[in-house]
Amino acid sequence: MPAIVMSNAGPNGAKKLEGKITIYVVICGVIAATGGLMFGYDIGISGGVTSMDDFLEEFFPVVYERKHKAKEDNYCKYDNQGLQLFTSSLYLAALVSSFVASKVCTKHGRRLTMQAASVFFLVGVIFNAAARNIVMLIVGRILLGVGVGFANQAVPLFLSEIAPVHIRGALNILFQLDVTIGIFVANIVNYFVSSIHPWGWRLALGLAGVPATMLCLGSMVIAETPTSLIEREQLMEGLAVLKKIRGIDNVNAEYEEILHACEMARQVKQPFRNLMKRSSRPQLVIAIAMQVFQQFTGINAIMFYAPVLFQTIGFKNDASLLSAVITGIVNVLSTVVSVVLVDKLGRRFLLLEACGQMLITQVAIGGVLLVNLKSTNELEHGVAVWVVVLVCLFVSSFAWSWGPLGWLIPSETFPLATRTAGYAFAVSSNMLFTFVIAQAFLSMMCHLRAGIFFFFAAWIVVMGLFVIFLLPETKNVPIDEMSERVWKRHWFWKRFMDEEALDKKDSV
């Protein structure tokens, strides 16, 4: 969640708080963001492994046989619920664990939650890399999911709470940047280990332990956030860390703001129940909607199954993995664009531009496949290359918009009183719909064929309308001014804020 600091004096009389962008903050941000490397590597590695013959022959022989039948329907080669469960089980586990992680975050702090995430993930990696049967695979995926749930809860909270308000967006997006780097690295690993028989897939899954080890060791040396320390009544430690991350001694004004927010939060005995109050509805609806929409862009369907998708349209195994590497490079570079522009152009501009670009590319991909890819043929080389180009254009627009902002915007909406609880809903919503897409995509592709891209395009239209009418701009607005400067001024959400005072009274 966002740092509880005040920006430059504005129309509401906000104080100006001093502080530098210190090297220590940057180091803490880079270390914490390695939680995104874990998440991204898993997203990228799953699709590559599920397209490897050695893996399929050992665990999913039916899919292996279907894949190598010349007359098999292009769109249905990989339609297997067990294969999809291998990918999606992680996200179901992450959904449940995010609520546990919320409690751990509040009671024990962000840093310990990140440490727990890395330990769960490492144990899951061992199960997966050593798997001898489908049960070991699924147990490993579940443990990985617990790690992802804990990391996705704690890391964005940590990043936002240490960030000065004027670079909150850029620092928070480090998490998503590391997600894209993780996907890119996984695609490279998939490309090289696919030729290592018969254990290349074990190496691919085992290397997921590298980012988990980095997070485990790194989280032992970084400081806890001032907000978390003060929230747990470690006042002197909180003040000392605040001075360290701001690079100055005069942090009294910011310290008082954090102290006040923590006192108000401490009065709320039931944060999850408090989320159901009418005045919390704008933040909760937007947090959940951003996660749902992020998944229904179709991005994870493409990133999970990029090698499978490219094989479906006629690429051979090595070529499909190489195409996935190309999309991974585009993903990383485009996320850097978001880091540079998010605090300059604002959230709404990036989201709306991306809706237009994603809509055009999804419709174009669907149109090309509808006309050119039938049940048993392969695309001509030139047409297949155009599909890869369109996928790259789609990925680029997502990577500078709905990818990072899907995590950033929910982190800017909740006050401290409902912060970890509210973000738990955001994380769990993301994991739920990631699970739905991961479990359903290959079956949807089999039944809808090229129409699956039109399905996602329709959702992008809905997303654009949501941003236009219901999503306020949160750029450079400190959290303590969010209610006055955002929610109470919005044409629709202001009606929910009329009962804010009454809700506060009821929640005490």
Side-chain angles (χ1 to χ4, degrees):
M1 289 302 159
I4 306 180
V5 297
M6 305 300 286
S7 63
N8 293 345
N12 294 316
K15 302 174 185 177
K16 179 178 180 180
L17 299 181
E18 299 179 10
K20 305 173 183 177
I21 303 174
T22 61
I23 295 296
Y24 186 70
V25 163
V26 174
I27 292 172
C28 286
V30 170
I31 291 174
T34 55
L37 281 178
M38 294 192 328
F39 189 26
Y41 185 87
D42 182 82
I43 291 174
I45 213 68
S46 299
V49 166
T50 53
S51 70
M52 293 180 189
D53 286 348
D54 294 324
F55 177 81
L56 292 174
E57 191 172 16
E58 183 161 351
F59 295 103
F60 303 98
V62 173
V63 179
Y64 174 79
E65 292 178 10
R66 186 188 302 162
K67 174 183 176 182
H68 290 279
K69 286 183 179 178
K71 299 295 184 181
E72 186 62 43
D73 191 323
N74 277 323
Y75 291 100
C76 299
K77 288 180 181 179
Y78 297 90
D79 179 18
N80 181 277
Q81 289 298 308
L83 183 62
Q84 290 171 114
L85 183 62
F86 166 74
T87 297
S88 64
S89 56
L90 181 151
Y91 302 96
L92 195 59
L95 185 162
V96 176
S97 66
S98 62
F99 289 101
V100 179
S102 169
K103 297 286 188 181
V104 176
C105 250
T106 299
K107 188 173 182 179
H108 300 289
R110 289 43 163 160
R111 188 176 70 163
L112 187 140
T113 307
M114 289 189 285
Q115 290 173 353
S118 61
V119 172
F120 279 116
F121 202 88
L122 282 168
V123 177
V125 167
I126 293 171
F127 267 83
N128 273 181
R132 296 296 176 183
N133 52 58
I134 192 68
V135 173
M136 286 186 70
L137 274 181
I138 300 302
V139 169
R141 295 292 291 176
I142 290 172
L143 289 169
L144 291 176
V146 175
V148 167
F150 271 61
N152 285 18
Q153 175 73 22
V155 172
L157 281 168
F158 182 92
L159 293 174
S160 288
E161 286 181 347
I162 67 170
V165 67
H166 60 286
I167 62 163
R168 186 176 64 220
L171 193 64
N172 192 283
I173 290 174
L174 281 178
F175 174 74
Q176 180 66 20
L177 178 61
D178 272 17
V179 171
T180 64
I181 293 173
I183 293 171
F184 172 60
V185 171
N187 289 333
I188 293 177
V189 170
N190 282 332
Y191 179 72
F192 284 105
V193 304
S194 63
S195 59
I196 302 176
H197 304 289
W199 51 270
W201 64 270
R202 294 188 186 276
L203 178 59
L205 294 178
L207 287 174
V210 174
T213 301
M214 291 169 60
L215 179 63
C216 185
L217 296 178
S219 60
M220 293 179 183
V221 299
I222 60 178
E224 181 58 271
T225 70
T227 299
S228 179
L229 290 168
I230 296 169
E231 184 180 25
R232 291 179 286 133
E233 300 185 345
Q234 300 176 33
L235 304 185
M236 297 309 297
E237 293 90 337
L239 178 60
V241 172
L242 185 60
K243 290 180 179 179
K244 187 172 184 178
I245 65 175
R246 296 292 175 256
I248 57 173
D249 290 328
N250 182 22
V251 295
N252 291 337
E254 183 175 350
Y255 177 76
E256 290 298 325
E257 292 292 346
I258 297 175
L259 192 63
H260 174 71
C262 290
E263 289 295 333
M264 296 299 294
R266 205 168 286 122
Q267 296 176 27
V268 178
K269 305 301 182 184
Q270 300 290 337
F272 281 98
R273 183 178 177 183
N274 205 55
L275 274 175
M276 301 301 110
K277 301 290 186 181
R278 182 178 172 86
S279 60
S280 295
R281 202 163 300 166
Q283 302 97 313
L284 185 61
V285 168
I286 285 177
I288 293 175
M290 290 298 296
Q291 304 305 315
V292 174
F293 289 147
Q294 186 189 78
Q295 298 313 306
F296 277 90
T297 59
I299 185 63
N300 274 349
I302 289 176
M303 300 312 294
F304 283 151
Y305 301 112
V308 172
L309 176 64
F310 290 129
Q311 282 191 26
T312 293
I313 63 176
F315 286 83
K316 300 303 180 184
N317 189 56
D318 287 349
S320 68
L321 290 172
L322 183 59
S323 298
V325 170
I326 294 171
T327 60
I329 294 173
V330 171
N331 199 15
V332 173
L333 295 178
S334 299
T335 305
V336 174
V337 172
S338 186
V339 172
V340 174
L341 297 180
V342 65
D343 290 314
K344 297 177 181 179
L345 299 180
R347 286 60 163 152
R348 281 167 52 87
F349 176 87
L350 292 176
L351 291 172
L352 288 173
E353 185 282 332
C355 281
Q357 188 169 328
M358 288 190 297
L359 178 62
I360 293 170
T361 52
Q362 286 279 29
V363 171
I365 293 170
V368 169
L369 297 185
L370 184 66
V371 172
N372 295 281
L373 186 65
K374 308 304 178 185
S375 295
T376 57
N377 73 313
E378 293 185 358
L379 290 181
E380 294 180 6
H381 178 73
V383 176
V385 169
W386 272 111
V387 171
V388 174
V389 171
L390 289 169
V391 168
C392 288
L393 289 172
F394 169 81
V395 169
S396 68
S397 59
F398 175 87
W400 62 56
S401 61
W402 289 89
L405 300 186
W407 295 106
L408 171 61
I409 290 173
S411 82
E412 297 181 316
T413 55
F414 294 101
L416 183 60
T418 55
R419 182 172 301 173
T420 58
Y423 205 72
F425 270 93
V427 173
S428 62
S429 298
N430 184 282
M431 294 303 133
L432 173 61
F433 285 92
T434 303
F435 167 79
V436 170
I437 293 297
Q439 187 65 25
F441 174 69
L442 295 179
S443 297
M444 289 173 66
M445 187 163 66
C446 179
H447 292 90
L448 296 178
R449 299 176 178 270
I452 191 171
F453 295 98
F454 299 116
F455 169 82
F456 289 126
W459 274 99
I460 291 170
V461 173
V462 175
M463 292 158 48
L465 294 174
F466 177 84
V467 173
I468 291 171
F469 293 108
L470 294 178
L471 186 68
E473 179 59 68
T474 54
K475 179 186 70 171
N476 290 337
V477 180
I479 197 168
D480 286 335
E481 296 183 29
M482 220 37 106
S483 179
E484 295 294 330
R485 290 173 55 181
V486 175
W487 307 116
K488 289 185 178 180
R489 296 184 182 185
H490 190 270
W491 73 273
F492 180 77
W493 298 121
K494 65 182 180 182
R495 71 189 67 182
F496 294 91
M497 307 308 294
D498 294 339
E499 298 181 17
E500 183 179 14
L502 182 60
D503 282 353
K504 285 182 179 178
K505 182 179 179 181
D506 291 341
S507 66
V508 174

